[in-house]
Amino acid sequence: MQIEPIKAFEDNYIWALRREGQLAVVDPGEAGPVLRFLETSGDRLCAIMVTHRHGDHIGGIAELVARYPVPVFGPTREAAEVVTHPLRDGATVCIPGLDDEFTVIDVPGHTLGHIAFYSDGVLFCGDTLFGAGCGRVFEGTMAQMQASLARLAALPPETLVYCAHEYTQSCLRFAHTVEPDNAAIDARSAKVDELIGAGRPSVPSTLAEEFATNPFLRWQSPAVIAAAATLLGHAPVNDVATFGAIRLWRDSL
Ligand code: ZN
Ligand code: FE
């Protein structure tokens, strides 16, 4: 399976999964860029995969399925207006045309029904985990979001993280504010600046890179705990409190 980004809106990535002329897309918020990609590549659309109900992830689906009546795999608990094949936590789904099997992981927090897709070293995580960041906690609790991130963090460290937005540069600036002495953050910033400067995506990253640089996975790092303690005015009582304090800090900027 080949994976390529299709750019949409300002900073969204619609991920294109290709195998032998067949193409599945993840989170097509717009139809136009997908249709242009299909025209250029000559691929046949075989499936659509959806992580959550936000418009910048599902907005293009109606137009795509009107042209190509393909199955739409997505959450059980939301986006029912577009999803034809609702998926439960732990389900395995074989994407027709690709023949790749994905495991579904419930990751509530950004939205309550948000799911992620994992297959053999690749993760499509929508707006849950970003390069050096994580999605806003719109619907769930801090505890739900932290637990969701912990589930993703339990995947193999070499897993490639395909998130849905190019937010890495600004996330790394925040990461540096949280942990000014973390050299891995500065090294990653330099690398990402170079990629973006060359017009290339900063994603996918690996989970290992995220462990080293992402403050929203580093609730056990002494520097992140110390930052949370300063924000809270007392030591955080647990990982959720650490995560929550950092997330609220980010929201306040
Ligand atoms: Zn979203
Ligand atoms: Fe989004």
Side-chain angles (χ1 to χ4, degrees):
M1 177 174 66
Q2 246 179 293
I3 305 172
E4 288 177 44
I6 301 175
K7 293 183 89 166
F9 304 112
E10 283 288 288
D11 50 30
N12 280 66
Y13 290 125
I14 299 167
W15 291 106
L17 284 47
R18 313 173 67 192
R19 188 189 286 286
E20 290 164 14
Q22 304 278 337
L23 182 122
V25 287
V26 183
D27 286 354
E30 289 190 283
V34 176
L35 294 171
R36 284 192 289 279
F37 187 98
L38 289 167
E39 231 164 76
T40 309
S41 69
D43 291 330
R44 243 190 70 198
L45 190 68
C46 60
I48 295 172
M49 296 153 73
V50 175
T51 63
H52 69 292
R53 66 179 182 80
H54 285 157
D56 63 312
H57 299 253
I58 66 170
I61 294 175
E63 192 179 336
L64 289 173
V65 297
R67 298 259 302 251
Y68 309 99
V70 299
V72 180
F73 298 93
T76 297
R77 289 186 287 172
E78 62 188 38
E81 70 276 27
V82 289
V83 171
T84 59
H85 291 61
L87 303 170
R88 292 192 180 281
D89 183 50
T92 55
V93 54
C94 188
I95 303 298
L98 293 182
D99 294 327
D100 288 275
E101 211 168 55
F102 286 86
T103 303
V104 176
I105 306 171
D106 269 355
V107 284
H110 178 70
T111 63
L112 283 175
H114 201 308
I115 60 172
F117 295 90
Y118 175 77
S119 175
D120 199 21
V122 299
L123 172 69
F124 297 95
C125 52
D127 286 355
T128 296
L129 180 61
F130 292 133
C134 76
R136 269 180 189 262
V137 183
F138 282 126
E139 295 179 4
T141 63
M142 290 296 180
Q144 279 177 312
M145 188 66 163
Q146 192 267 345
S148 294
L149 290 165
R151 286 194 75 184
L152 299 182
L155 296 168
E158 65 275 14
T159 299
L160 294 170
V161 179
Y162 290 88
C163 60
H165 288 273
E166 181 59 69
Y167 288 159
T168 317
Q169 270 182 314
S170 72
C171 289
L172 281 166
R173 280 195 288 276
F174 176 71
H176 175 83
T177 308
V178 178
E179 289 187 277
D181 299 327
N182 182 334
I185 291 172
D186 298 335
R188 188 175 180 192
S189 278
K191 190 183 99 178
V192 167
D193 288 350
E194 211 169 289
L195 285 168
I196 299 298
R200 293 169 56 195
S202 71
V203 282
S205 58
T206 62
L207 267 183
E209 272 181 282
E210 298 305 332
F211 289 138
T213 59
N214 190 325
F216 299 106
L217 291 181
R218 291 174 57 74
W219 49 74
Q220 282 174 0
S221 145
V224 175
I225 293 169
T230 304
L231 294 162
L232 294 165
H234 56 83
V237 293
N238 55 25
D239 295 344
V240 173
T242 301
F243 168 80
I246 303 295
R247 185 60 253 182
L248 286 175
W249 183 13
R250 174 74 166 147
D251 292 346
S252 74
L253 297 177

